[in-house]
Amino acid sequence: MPHPETGNRFDDDDYPAYTVGAAAEMIGATPAFLRALGQAKLIEPLRSEGGHRRYSRYQLKIAARARELVDEGTPIESACRIIILEDQLEEALRINEELRAGDPPQS
């Protein structure tokens, strides 16, 4: 029988389930690449009780996007800025659509 506190973790994109090694393997990068994204403040992994970096699926999606941009020749700092701007644009478009529909913006 599963523990109640673990019940929804399999579906939680924000749960820090992946070690740096597993995360790097999943996106086809190196642990150093993930650390560089952390230094650039694009993603900030949570730390386990032992101090090890842990990444969520959501963070891995962002890291995979950064890897795509870097693989295309974009410097890592620029890739991080592009992703931040893409996220801000998506949020602005969502708010704009809500305002047009007459719904109050969601925070």
Side-chain angles (χ1 to χ4, degrees), residues 7 21 40 43 45 54 66 84 94:
I43 56 175
R54 301 291 248 179
I84 290 166
R94 184 190 62 75

Side-chain angles (χ1 to χ4, degrees), residues 10 17 24 29 34 37 40 47-51 59 62-63 69-71 75-77 81 88 98 102:
F10 293 113
L34 289 173
L37 296 180
R47 298 283 182 157
S48 68
E49 289 180 19
Q59 289 172 322
I62 293 170
L69 290 168
V70 169
D71 287 351
I76 194 164
E77 298 82 12
R81 186 70 182 138
Q88 289 172 345
E98 287 175 0

Side-chain angles (χ1 to χ4, degrees), residues 24-92:
E25 184 177 325
M26 288 176 72
I27 66 165
T30 64
F33 179 78
L34 289 173
R35 287 191 293 274
L37 296 180
Q39 289 171 340
K41 306 284 189 230
L42 181 62
I43 56 175
E44 186 174 337
L46 280 96
R47 298 283 182 157
S48 68
E49 289 180 19
H52 300 284
R53 290 175 178 85
R54 301 291 248 179
Y55 295 88
S56 69
R57 285 190 301 212
Y58 176 73
Q59 289 172 322
L60 293 184
K61 290 175 188 175
I62 293 170
R65 174 70 177 127
R67 183 177 170 265
E68 287 173 11
L69 290 168
V70 169
D71 287 351
E72 293 170 359
T74 306
I76 194 164
E77 298 82 12
S78 299
C80 292
R81 186 70 182 138
I82 288 168
I83 292 166
I84 290 166
L85 291 170
E86 287 174 341
D87 188 54
Q88 289 172 345
L89 176 60
E90 185 179 315
E91 178 69 6

